[in-house]
Amino acid sequence: MQICAFLWVYYGYPASNYEGINVESARNLCGMALARNDRVDIDYVAGIPDSGIGHAIGYANEKNVPYIRPFVKYTPTWPRSFMPQIQLIRDLVARMKLIPVKELIDGKRILFCEDSIVRGTQLQDTIQILYEYGAKEVHMRPACPTLIYPCDFLNFSASQSTLDLAGRKAIAELEGADDKVLAQYATGGSEKNRAMVDKIRQRLKLTSLQYQRLEDLVEAIGVPKKKLCTHCWDGSSYF
């Protein structure tokens, strides 16, 4: 039996330890790994609240770039915006939760760390708000690779159609179907992987988009890969 790597990336509580590994510490290390593989020029680093914050702090510390909060969180809503089953409600909850601070956005080149991009619908709205508030550039650095295979156990990546996943939607646009040569798209840095990522970047209207490499994620967590379920990224077996 393998343990879900998303415990550290997204839905684990920051103060919690799993397999002896603290969630917030692992997120800091994820952000540091993202920074080491990045060459972008920016003014600030920020995290999409809440789970993106730990990744962003690690990135900012590694790059020695200021960390800011261009979004503040309004908390009396659903604890997780993926929880409602209806997309319209998910979008409404996400919009209610994040309040933009114009003075920290206007004219700035901001890099955001996020735990992941699942469907991308909520993130697309968030990015549009940033541009409406005057952002000069918006860069996104998810703390894990592109989700390609839906999870059979947790509803954050389960949908009525695999085409709801940002990665599979991009693959369908490139291949004419969403289930062709998936392993090639899941291989970080491959030609097909880069094409998929750029499709997602264009749809979200990001200045740049760069995902975490799976090997760097596993190293940041600190648990051997054979003990981790990484199925949603590389299709590996649960057992």
Side-chain angles (χ1 to χ4, degrees), residues 57-73:
I57 290 173
Y59 188 106
N61 288 340
E62 180 71 15
K63 277 288 190 185
N64 197 26
V65 175
Y67 171 83
I68 64 166
R69 288 202 305 164
F71 283 105
V72 292
K73 188 176 179 184

Side-chain angles (χ1 to χ4, degrees), residues 13 107 124 206 217:
Y13 190 67
Q124 193 169 22
L206 288 164
L217 172 60

Side-chain angles (χ1 to χ4, degrees), residues 2 15 17 65-66 143 145 164 205:
Q2 296 168 312
N17 293 340
V65 175
D164 288 341
K205 297 181 173 60

Side-chain angles (χ1 to χ4, degrees), residues 6-14 23-31 34 46-58 67 73 79-82 97-98 112-118 122 141-144 156:
F6 255 104
L7 273 169
W8 293 277
V9 173
Y10 176 50
Y11 62 84
Y13 190 67
V23 170
E24 186 71 0
S25 295
R27 290 175 183 170
N28 291 165
L29 291 171
C30 279
L34 284 167
I48 302 292
D50 279 328
S51 47
I53 293 174
H55 302 298
I57 290 173
Y67 171 83
K73 188 176 179 184
R80 285 289 190 265
S81 56
F82 74 84
K97 285 171 65 173
L98 298 181
F112 282 88
C113 288
E114 173 67 300
D115 50 76
S116 60
I117 298 176
V118 182
Q122 297 169 13
R141 299 295 181 264
C144 65
F156 69 84

